[in-house]
Amino acid sequence: MYTIIDIETTGNGIKGNKITEISIFKYDGHEVVEEYTSLVNPECEISSFITSLTGIDNNMVRNAPVLEDIIPEIEAITKDTIFVAHSVNFDYNVIKNEFKQLGREFSRKKLCTVRLSRKLLPGYNSYSLGKLTAALGIPLTDRHRARGDAHATVLLFHKLLRSENAESVFKLFLNSKSQEATLPPALPKEEYDKLPTTPGVYYFKNEKGKIIYVGKAINIKKRVLGHFYDKKTKEITLCSETASLDFEETGNELIALLKESAEIKHHYPKYNSAQKRTIQQYGIFSYEDRNGIIHLAFNKIKMTPNALAICYSPTEARQYLEALCNTFELCPKYCHLQENVTSCSHYKIKQCIGICSDTDLVNTYNERVQEALQSLKEIQSDLVIKTKGRNGEENAFVIIQENSYAGYGFVPKETPIEHIEDLENYIIPQKNTLETQRIVESYIRKNPNAIFSL
């Protein structure tokens, strides 16, 4: 037994979406055996845009029942049935979320007539309800009203049940292990099945083949599936537009991060936002106070034009200073890791031999600060980061030249590498940006043993 359902909503994102109308047809595979249709008072304003689309306005629902009042009818008619809808995850998730907010559970097996149509009725230009029913000669009246759309979906579903290979396709779609109910409506399962379980970059594309999202993952297949399970409004909207997937294996997370950043800059995808924002930089600097003591500190980059080192968050800057304190036995107070104290008592740096407790002379302390400053200047400008390749026959590498990210590549393990020129035939040149600089510097600090100078 099936219940074929359509809802109209206020359109305020999945979690803010409130039902304004619901229509349910109980269908036994041959005919409709029961119907329930009702306007619903969403207990919030309906926007003029939604009214222009559906014809449902605030006056129409003012005296309609609230959802809580009609829950018994919805539960009764859908009990022990398979929930069917066009783009089922939208209708199902809105209803499930509204039930949850009222302290009720709603769980049904589900089928999507978009996905079923793509499988059983291939070759159509569009699988939207309006265009598909028009192409199939199925009457659709009262478009964007719950009963009109639900009734057209009943007629479409009747046709799908009688299509060639329907029995095996329906069986596959109802098998929870097939993940058919989880995948976006416009995405063929073959697109998901082709994804590897290795590190790399993945691409979501719309029906026109345009890249709308770029991501990176240690396990591409698992991460992509995570998007499909995510119930945030942005994720659901992204998935609803996704018609195909692509990927590129990188062998490791570092190159995946770098390639993701480059691809976002190149394609400027609709649903990527993080790397479109300006990154705030922080500079490490030094100065001498009136007592002749050299301080180390950090501030926003515009306040430190001659920065000794650049970090990308206050936390990263503090960690950088903590490392210098530990290595060169500097004072946390005079590295500005502690403020407004007479002598330091840093929770990480326990054995300060600095001048804050008058146990060290200024000149001796300043010599250690100068050693720390010199160490920053002596950092190798041409470096190679060696990391895992895409398979057992190769290594991956990232090149830093003159302290700037220059590119990455993959080289056979048996290739002898003694000079940076040995990698020239394998390198894939890349642009150095604030994001890639941050990625590389962060990796170097966390993985010093992976760094080689040639």
Side-chain angles (χ1 to χ4, degrees), residues 317-335:
R318 279 191 285 270
Q319 290 173 343
Y320 198 102
L321 290 172
E322 285 174 3
L324 289 176
C325 279
N326 276 318
T327 302
F328 296 95
E329 298 181 312
L330 304 182
C331 173
K333 175 183 173 182
Y334 289 98
C335 288

Side-chain angles (χ1 to χ4, degrees), residues 47-62:
S47 71
S48 57
F49 172 77
I50 294 297
T51 296
S52 67
L53 181 67
T54 66
I56 301 172
D57 60 23
N58 293 303
N59 287 329
M60 288 177 62
V61 300
R62 196 176 307 281

Side-chain angles (χ1 to χ4, degrees), residues 31-314:
E31 60 183 2
V32 174
V33 297
E34 189 179 350
E35 178 192 343
Y36 178 80
T37 299
S38 177
L39 286 166
V40 181
N41 184 346
E43 300 182 283
C44 64
E45 290 294 309
I46 300 173
S47 71
S48 57
F49 172 77
I50 294 297
T51 296
S52 67
L53 181 67
T54 66
I56 301 172
D57 60 23
N58 293 303
N59 287 329
M60 288 177 62
V61 300
R62 196 176 307 281
N63 297 316
V66 296
L67 183 67
E68 188 172 15
D69 292 341
I70 63 173
I71 278 181
E73 284 86 349
I74 297 172
E75 288 180 326
I77 194 172
T78 62
K79 184 180 180 181
D80 299 325
T81 69
I82 296 169
F83 187 111
V84 181
H86 208 67
S87 294
V88 69
N89 285 331
F90 173 81
D91 301 78
Y92 184 84
N93 287 329
V94 170
I95 293 173
K96 186 180 179 70
N97 189 63
E98 285 235 54
F99 269 56
K100 185 177 181 180
Q101 289 178 359
L102 294 169
R104 308 290 284 268
E105 291 294 322
F106 185 84
S107 180
R108 305 286 188 271
K109 287 186 176 181
K110 53 186 177 175
L111 285 170
C112 178
T113 51
V114 178
R115 295 192 60 75
L116 285 168
S117 298
R118 287 182 174 276
K119 191 74 172 179
L120 294 169
L121 306 171
Y124 289 91
N125 292 329
S126 173
Y127 286 85
S128 69
L129 186 61
K131 292 181 179 179
L132 182 59
T133 52
L136 294 170
I138 295 173
L140 172 54
T141 57
D142 291 331
R143 182 75 173 109
H144 296 304
R145 288 298 298 270
R147 191 183 188 283
D149 288 353
H151 183 259
T153 307
V154 171
L155 300 178
L156 172 60
F157 191 68
H158 182 86
K159 184 176 183 64
L160 291 169
L161 277 172
R162 286 152 183 80
S163 299
E164 186 178 356
N165 300 320
E167 184 177 351
S168 60
V169 170
F170 271 68
K171 184 177 180 180
L172 172 66
F173 275 46
L174 288 170
N175 184 345
S176 60
K177 293 182 180 180
S178 73
Q179 298 173 323
E180 286 285 357
T182 304
L183 301 182
L187 184 71
K189 189 170 185 295
E190 296 75 22
E191 289 289 304
Y192 173 73
D193 288 341
K194 73 183 182 183
L195 298 177
T197 57
T198 52
V201 175
Y202 58 89
Y203 307 83
F204 283 29
K205 298 180 179 180
N206 63 15
E207 288 190 327
K208 295 181 180 179
K210 184 177 180 180
I211 294 172
I212 57 175
Y213 183 79
V214 178
K216 68 88 188 172
I218 296 175
N219 181 325
I220 294 174
K221 194 164 196 171
K222 183 177 180 181
R223 180 67 190 93
V224 169
L225 186 62
H227 285 284
F228 303 154
Y229 277 113
D230 198 320
K231 297 300 182 276
K232 294 186 183 71
T233 299
K234 177 186 171 183
E235 294 287 345
I236 291 172
T237 307
L238 163 64
C239 292
S240 70
E241 291 187 35
T242 302
S244 64
L245 301 169
D246 204 352
F247 66 91
E248 183 171 335
E249 295 177 275
T250 62
N252 59 83
E253 187 179 18
L254 173 60
I255 294 179
L257 281 165
L258 293 167
K259 187 164 182 63
E260 176 196 37
S261 179
E263 294 291 77
I264 290 172
K265 288 284 188 291
H266 179 68
H267 296 286
Y268 214 69
K270 177 179 179 180
Y271 289 99
N272 285 99
S273 56
Q275 295 197 38
K276 294 177 183 177
R277 295 192 294 267
T278 302
I279 294 178
Q280 177 64 61
Q281 294 177 289
Y282 295 84
I284 305 294
F285 66 97
S286 67
Y287 70 92
E288 186 175 312
D289 67 17
R290 67 181 65 182
N291 296 318
I293 303 169
I294 301 175
H295 292 236
L296 294 181
F298 72 90
N299 206 337
K300 292 180 180 178
I301 194 66
K302 64 181 179 181
M303 305 296 291
T304 55
N306 298 311
L308 301 165
I310 295 174
C311 300
Y312 300 91
S313 71

